[in-house]
Amino acid sequence: MMTNKGFHVAVVGATGAVGQQMIRTLEERDFPIRQLTLLSSARSAGKTVSYKGEEIVVQEAKPESFEGVDIALFSAGGSVSKKFAPEAVKRGAIVVDNTSAYRMDEEVPLVVPEVNKEDLKNHKGIIANPNCSTIQMVAALEPIRQAYGLKKVLVSTYQAVSGAGKEAIDEMYNQTQEILDGKEIKPEILPVGGDKKHYQIAFNAIPQIDKFQDNGFTFEEMKMINETKKIMHMPELSVAATCVRLPVETGHSESVYFEVETQGLSAEDIKSKLSGAPGVVLQDQPEEQIYPMPADCVGKKEIFVGRVRKDLDEDTGFHMWVVADNLLKGAAWNSVQIAETLIDMEIVKEK
Amino acid sequence: MMTNKGFHVAVVGATGAVGQQMIRTLEERDFPIRQLTLLSSARSAGKTVSYKGEEIVVQEAKPESFEGVDIALFSAGGSVSKKFAPEAVKRGAIVVDNTSAYRMDEEVPLVVPEVNKEDLKNHKGIIANPNCSTIQMVAALEPIRQAYGLKKVLVSTYQAVSGAGKEAIDEMYNQTQEILDGKEIKPEILPVGGDKKHYQIAFNAIPQIDKFQDNGFTFEEMKMINETKKIMHMPELSVAATCVRLPVETGHSESVYFEVETQGLSAEDIKSKLSGAPGVVLQDQPEEQIYPMPADCVGKKEIFVGRVRKDLDEDTGFHMWVVADNLLKGAAWNSVQIAETLIDMEIVKEK
């Protein structure tokens, strides 16, 4: 792509749900792109994707595909990142990886720009994009932590099927129509494509996202717990999560209980820190029935917070409801935002 | 109804979602009924409802309707209960009221039989059936409280639309079909029939059930908080709730965090108390992806509990996922169960 200025950007997983959003976000942000390389598995190679009116042919990812690439955005599954991210780095690219492959690697910064962009300075070639449900929560908690400290976080999630990919979206809509038509359904994807059993998602709620660990928590829940501590640089923070999949296409919601260090605060104190915080929009007027909902957040880059209220028993405890587009702030936009921040901070420079 | 033995039972609100379930439950339980009187508003009077193969004409509720009635099951809204429950009591009936009208009245027992059936002895004519979301939570917490004590409860709910009545169910299904057909939708009922604004429920999650109080909590959330304390006789218990409506027809789910008094327990200790507890079914084998879901609980009277795990930071803290049919254990079955318990305990006797 086709100007002399800017960067050579590669998108790995260009035909997936998040990859598509990455390309749309690069376009919308008018990201400084000199050349755009779109990569995928052999299966999807040969498809074309439009970018700024031009049709680009998606190529099969190979080590050589990364020759000359400045910034590579990966979102094609952990095994693809494990295989190709080191190849991209070897060839001089900086990688922003949206899979879980490197998130807990001590050498790899795990970044939400509103929270810990300074960590980008320590990168060794790969930067990890956190899990979707983690990103929106830490970005909402950060302005509160800065002002009042943070001791404890308990979250129950209400997560959309698009986090499980395009096939999960199709399954939800097809299954919904089958149920409305009184037909028998045959779940094949959700809750987890690679797991043994599959359950109805239409008109249901499934308390499993990703597979189970031996401790009874799912990997998704452990991601929220461990990633939150890493991003906030708070290994001592108490965090627990229960993650639940809903029949919602896009937009994760979270019921978050948290305890701060400071005593005697009111809900207004918390709201005053959320209002105007980077990337956060406060939508909190119960008397007007104004609160965030997934159906309203789709296509938006911000994190929406409402239902802020003080716990009735614990002086330092508060509740809030956090909603964001899991494909944008939860994935594509946070990745592109990391890339923009790398440029702003002059960590990546034009060659 | 048409034997010489048993009781004269009245169902008030016989054509509503819960009233219908009450009649089905009386039938299924083979409740000892000598005569069955079905009552409703003037609007629904004249409809017929079948009971054990017989068509019964629904009559408009009037004070005189309760002459000779032994047990009156009310589920026609708080204002109907306020108007007619005292009339029924005056005529010698015992009232089991499924509305919120009398729940927090100090003179009125608020009963989940698995938890506090002894409170029935103190009735003064009216017994209140708790809120659906409260019932399933306290019944799951009670065996744990008995064994290990209870200090704190934090719940986030995932509630079905049938809790908002038949019109809400119709709205959800019609709206779902309209969205699948790409049509414009016009929400008119949910989240709260009597509130100012109405929102999309299909493929969405709405963090509002019932209207808002001045403290930022909804009435539904305050019901869970206050009713839990009253049923468990624990005014000092810390309880907080966030209540959310989902596009699920029937079956409330709850993500419950709780802290016990006893230190050093394991998740197995908690599960051992849930397993075999009255009215509770433990469904908790993560390695086999076995956990409760609303789609599986419909039509069942039990409370299903799974995802039991120990908090990773707080020694006395645990998490669980509680699911029940909100029209049955959450409403109709708990009411009929109260009536059965009144008979078992010989608080109501055949005349």
Side-chain angles (χ1 to χ4, degrees), chain B residues 32 157 160 266 297 300 306 313:
Chain B
T157 72
S266 68
C297 80
K300 295 175 184 161
D313 299 294

Side-chain angles (χ1 to χ4, degrees), chain A residues 33-51:
Chain A
I33 292 180
R34 173 166 47 83
Q35 188 176 343
L36 182 60
T37 296
L38 302 184
L39 301 172
S40 74
S41 63
R43 190 167 52 86
S44 294
K47 291 184 182 174
T48 62
V49 172
S50 78
Y51 180 79

